[in-house]
Amino acid sequence: MTDAEDRPDFLETADGRRIAYRRTPDAGAGAPGVVFLGGFRSDMTGTKAAFLEERCRARGRAFLRFDYTGHGQSSGRFEDGCIGDWLRDARDAIAALTEGPQVLVGSSMGGWIALLLAREAPERVAALIGIAAAPDFTLDGMEAAFDEAQRQEMARTGRVALPSEYSDEPYVITRRLIEDGRDHLVLRAPLPLPFPTRLLQGSADVDVPPERARILFDHAEGPDIRLLLVKGADHRFSGPRELRILDETLEEAIAAAREAGR
């Protein structure tokens, strides 16, 4: 692929956000489109997003991947963002760049965003696939793990820097991120998922432990929800075996969505 072909397009929003995206058009596959929702501080150039784009293009299926504000090539600063902001980016991108029900594929934080989208507009969801989905992680993962010194630092400065396994730069966690996260929880109230839902989880995931997948699985309500625990897979879920499982899961979920009339 040439540099020009790999250059993203941009969605300009009325309030000045500039969302970078790549879109593969529908080539008559007769199936719902696929939207990839990335994780916390990741971008649309990751292995899973690129893999799914290639598979959808090969099958003539519409596909969308994009960067949240403050991520990748989109406008804004990461430290200024929060779950509500990134949910708005996803909502706006899907509204402007897709038609009809979509298969939402959410990785880590993207799984939380997918669940929020599904809760507010289930008619736009044909099926949902969570890859190490991390709903409510700002409360259950970050805030719950703060030690006393970090709590005091947050109270004093409104921010805490946490080391990251995925970057040389620490994650800066802001008070706004934590407080906004509490306004977007999905595991504290009924969570109907009236469409095929597939949850993929690695047994060796230390960022989103397998028990979190089971909590989501037990909490969600729907006629067709399945959890697949993959022995030895880590949080990235992007090795050849995991990508094959993701591809098979996508095809199975689309077939189930068709059968369900979605």
Side-chain angles (χ1 to χ4, degrees), residues 7 15 116 185 189 191 224 255:
R7 192 173 301 130
D15 59 359
L116 288 165
L185 302 175
L191 181 62
D224 187 7

Side-chain angles (χ1 to χ4, degrees), residues 59 61 103 126-129 196-200 224-228 244-260:
R59 292 167 175 144
R61 184 173 296 143
V103 179
L128 187 151
I129 299 173
T197 300
R198 305 292 180 261
L199 305 175
L200 302 178
D224 187 7
I225 302 175
R226 304 178 190 180
L227 168 62
L228 177 62
R244 183 178 69 253
I245 291 170
L246 174 57
D247 187 37
E248 293 169 351
T249 300
L250 175 60
E251 293 309 298
E252 188 276 326
I254 289 174
R258 283 171 161 168
E259 186 175 343

Side-chain angles (χ1 to χ4, degrees), residues 9-258:
D9 293 312
F10 289 90
L11 173 66
E12 308 278 352
T13 69
D15 59 359
R17 285 169 292 135
R18 194 166 188 255
I19 302 173
Y21 71 90
R22 284 182 51 87
R23 178 172 55 175
T24 300
D26 184 353
V34 178
V35 178
F36 183 80
L37 301 160
F40 187 70
R41 248 183 97 168
S42 67
D43 60 48
M44 64 174 167
T45 66
T47 301
K48 293 186 291 293
F51 171 80
L52 287 173
E53 181 182 74
E54 184 276 326
R55 299 308 297 148
C56 287
R57 182 184 293 112
R59 292 167 175 144
R61 184 173 296 143
F63 180 79
L64 173 67
R65 52 175 162 144
F66 65 94
D67 289 332
Y68 308 112
T69 50
H71 293 67
Q73 299 181 69
S74 290
S75 63
R77 295 195 321 147
F78 170 78
E79 294 177 19
D80 295 335
C82 61
I83 300 300
D85 292 342
W86 302 324
L87 171 63
R88 178 181 58 177
D89 294 336
R91 185 190 301 122
D92 290 349
I94 290 171
L97 303 172
T98 72
E99 295 181 3
Q102 301 291 302
V103 179
L104 304 182
V105 183
S107 176
S108 194
M109 181 187 78
W112 187 0
I113 300 293
L115 293 167
L116 288 165
L117 290 167
R119 186 170 68 180
E120 63 181 43
E123 71 281 358
R124 288 299 314 270
V125 183
L128 187 151
I129 299 173
I131 309 169
D136 301 6
F137 77 88
T138 52
L139 175 62
D140 296 334
M142 291 178 172
E143 188 175 10
F146 285 165
D147 59 27
E148 184 56 34
Q150 290 168 329
R151 292 182 184 281
Q152 291 181 8
E153 182 180 359
M154 180 65 79
R156 185 177 68 255
T157 69
R159 52 197 287 135
V160 172
L162 301 178
S164 168
E165 179 184 345
Y166 306 100
S167 171
D168 294 334
E169 298 294 324
Y171 287 167
V172 174
I173 309 305
T174 65
R175 180 185 293 120
R176 181 170 184 257
L177 175 66
I178 296 296
E179 293 179 348
D180 174 84
R182 296 190 198 119
D183 293 333
H184 291 92
L185 302 175
V186 297
L187 297 177
R188 272 73 178 175
L191 181 62
L193 301 177
F195 36 72
T197 300
R198 305 292 180 261
L199 305 175
L200 302 178
Q201 177 69 42
S203 70
D205 189 339
V206 297
D207 296 292
V208 179
E211 55 264 30
R212 297 297 302 171
R214 185 55 188 259
I215 289 171
L216 172 58
F217 176 78
D218 289 342
H219 178 73
E221 302 170 357
D224 187 7
I225 302 175
R226 304 178 190 180
L227 168 62
L228 177 62
L229 182 63
V230 180
K231 192 173 184 65
D234 63 15
H235 188 64
R236 291 180 175 89
F237 210 88
S238 57
R241 176 188 60 159
E242 289 74 49
L243 293 178
R244 183 178 69 253
I245 291 170
L246 174 57
D247 187 37
E248 293 169 351
T249 300
L250 175 60
E251 293 309 298
E252 188 276 326
I254 289 174
R258 283 171 161 168

